[in-house]
Amino acid sequence: MQVTYWLEHAWLDPVVEPGVAVEVAGDGRISAVRTGVEAPPPGAVVLRGFTVPGLANAHSHAFHRALRSTVQVGSGTFWTWREIMYQVASRLTPDSYHALARAVYAEMALAGITAVGEFHYLHHAPDGTPYDDPNAMGEALIAAAAEAGIRITLLDTAYLSSGFGAAPDRHQLRFSDGTAEAWAERCSALKEREHARIGAAVHSVRAVPARELGTVAAWAGARRAPLHVHLSEQTAENEGCLDAYGMTPTQLLAEHGVLGTRTTGVHNTHLTDGDIALIGSTATGTCMCPTTERDLADGIGPAVALQRAGSPLSLGSDSHAVIDLLEEARAMELDERLRTRRRGHWTAAALLRAATADGHAALGWPEAGRIEPGAPADLATIALDSVRTAGAVPRLAAETAVFAATASDVRDVVVGGRAVVRDGVHALVPDVPSALSTAIAALRT
């Protein structure tokens, strides 16, 4: 069904335009964009506020949403946090994971996120036994995204070792396929569909031995699929890699063909100058997850240097300490201000680009993340009259969105031309808080 949306203000990268009519064809793609349309055309759906392309959450672990608040008790490090995470991971089944992910993806939709990259490594039963359908957990995530009305790139993750060749521990048995060849055989059975694309991931150089890295890279390369990897999130990972292989994680990945234009390193926090040059020269992407990186006390990554070297930036909510891509964009700039004691490392437009077009490209949706003919009609409208955004100058709506608005200010969300959120209410999951509460409570019993 064809539909026309009238956008009171729209971000047509890099400028804000008032009065934009977006015509959507029956296939859910934008067929025309007309500017200077002062009033809504007859029959048009009106989106009041500031409309941007749907946001891309380039890094998610959906089950981490169940950790929110629980992991804020006491003190510790990433490694103590991980022990609590393992406890939640051990309780998930295909059905309970579907229920949780459906609610989490609905929360994302309410935040203006129209595509998610799910870094998925909960493959088997807790004792490592495959389910009757070896991809039952991945299929649960794909179905959850469809029911929440968003797109997903399932980044099926190779996770084979507890650390630099050591066998998986009892918590990690369900993550492992044993070998990269077995991983590739299993995830080759996953099928793409209209709302879902399949990518690959190397969990980390800790979790995938060097001899197995090439198999994962070759699988992704043969399919021209996105390939993601946790990279140098922790200094302990760098030290372990140097001890095991005599080189940094970045150097190891480069040696085994993992880096490249379809690859995204997640976090890229503790890098040498040589690492930054390698990542940039191969046009490997960088996904920063500032709200998680600060929550886990990981550190502030060299995003400015990486981008200058040639690494495209994207954003993710990772552990879902909060789900708010506007906050991720803002935090990347503000963290850099704290580190350097200087303001203005990225413009609001550059930060929006990381949250939209570049994020979609990192997830294998290069046609998405922009408001232009041929792109999927994925839109997110941010209120300009909330207590946070009221008084904004319309031509500075991008600055208002990035530096003042929050996920709570997202008013309307459209995916493929279909309204998924209208006036702040999810059209497919009517009571998202209850869905979250029920799904999370089930994991505590």
Side-chain angles (χ1 to χ4, degrees):
M1 185 177 70
Q2 296 181 346
V3 62
T4 298
Y5 287 93
W6 182 78
L7 319 181
E8 185 179 26
H9 302 282
W11 187 60
L12 304 184
D13 188 7
V15 300
V16 177
E17 290 280 355
V20 176
V22 174
E23 297 177 10
V24 182
D27 64 357
R29 292 181 177 269
I30 297 172
S31 58
V33 176
R34 293 184 286 119
T35 60
V37 182
E38 295 184 1
V45 178
V46 175
L47 299 181
R48 296 218 176 260
F50 176 50
T51 299
V52 301
L55 306 177
N57 186 351
H59 190 66
S60 163
H61 301 290
F63 76 96
H64 289 188
R65 175 62 179 82
L67 299 171
R68 192 180 292 179
S69 75
T70 303
V71 290
Q72 302 301 344
V73 178
S75 61
T77 66
F78 168 87
W79 307 102
T80 52
W81 169 90
R82 191 176 69 160
E83 292 304 310
I84 302 172
M85 179 269 286
Y86 282 157
Q87 294 172 25
V88 173
S90 70
R91 300 186 187 115
L92 286 160
T93 66
D95 287 344
S96 64
Y97 203 9
H98 171 266
L100 176 60
R102 175 177 176 267
V104 173
Y105 296 154
E107 181 181 358
M108 290 186 191
L110 289 171
I113 295 164
T114 58
V116 62
E118 185 60 41
F119 200 101
H120 166 57
Y121 54 84
L122 295 182
H123 301 308
H124 309 299
D127 65 356
T129 302
Y131 291 104
D132 291 340
D133 174 359
N135 286 306
M137 295 292 266
E139 291 291 346
L141 293 165
I142 291 171
E147 292 173 30
I150 70 172
R151 305 181 194 276
I152 185 172
T153 297
L154 187 75
L155 297 160
D156 197 286
T157 303
Y159 193 132
L160 309 173
S161 168
S162 63
F164 300 103
D169 66 24
R170 62 186 179 86
H171 299 295
Q172 299 159 342
L173 290 173
R174 72 181 314 178
F175 306 165
S176 178
D177 291 292
T179 67
E181 286 188 1
W183 165 85
E185 180 179 0
R186 177 186 52 73
C187 61
S188 291
L190 288 161
K191 303 301 181 186
E192 295 193 340
R193 45 219 91 170
E194 185 178 358
H195 80 291
R197 294 183 179 173
I198 308 300
V202 170
H203 179 273
S204 58
V205 296
R206 289 182 288 109
V208 179
R211 66 181 179 276
E212 307 273 17
L213 291 170
T215 300
V216 182
W219 186 94
R223 291 159 179 76
R224 301 192 63 79
L227 173 60
H228 288 215
V229 53
H230 290 135
L231 178 55
S232 289
E233 181 180 5
Q234 294 290 322
T235 55
E237 175 184 300
N238 292 353
E239 293 160 3
C241 192
L242 286 167
D243 289 343
Y245 302 114
M247 61 185 73
T248 68
T250 301
Q251 291 170 328
L252 186 70
L253 294 175
E255 186 170 279
H256 291 273
V258 176
L259 303 185
T261 56
R262 291 189 308 277
T263 300
T264 297
V266 181
H267 304 304
N268 291 2
T269 305
H270 302 285
L271 304 175
T272 67
D273 290 345
D275 292 338
I276 293 170
L278 260 179
I279 291 167
S281 66
T282 56
T284 298
T286 294
C287 179
M288 304 302 282
C289 306
T291 65
T292 290
E293 289 150 4
R294 70 191 184 196
D295 182 61
L296 297 183
D298 286 343
I300 300 170
V304 171
L306 283 161
Q307 188 173 50
R308 286 176 179 164
S311 179
L313 298 180
S314 56
L315 297 165
S317 63
D318 192 2
S319 70
H320 313 314
V322 296
I323 293 177
D324 188 339
L325 260 286
L326 299 174
E327 174 62 20
E328 303 293 346
R330 174 163 56 246
M332 190 163 69
E333 165 66 25
L334 299 186
D335 284 355
E336 194 65 16
R337 292 183 185 184
L338 285 174
R339 191 180 69 82
T340 64
R341 291 178 289 174
R342 187 172 61 81
R343 304 174 78 236
H345 301 275
W346 292 277
T347 64
L351 294 168
L352 279 178
R353 199 170 299 123
T356 56
D358 289 346
H360 281 92
L363 296 179
W365 299 86
E367 72 277 27
R370 47 183 56 84
I371 301 175
E372 63 182 36
D378 297 352
L379 309 170
T381 303
I382 299 160
L384 294 179
D385 58 358
S386 76
V387 294
R388 287 163 293 277
T389 62
V393 178
R395 66 180 176 82
L396 298 179
E399 285 76 9
T400 300
V402 171
F403 292 104
T406 72
S408 298
D409 297 311
V410 174
R411 177 177 284 162
D412 297 292
V413 177
V414 174
V415 182
R418 178 181 67 163
V420 173
V421 175
R422 191 68 174 143
D423 293 328
V425 178
H426 200 290
L428 305 176
V429 185
D431 190 344
V432 178
S434 290
L436 286 163
S437 294
T438 299
I440 293 168
L443 300 177
R444 294 178 179 149
T445 58

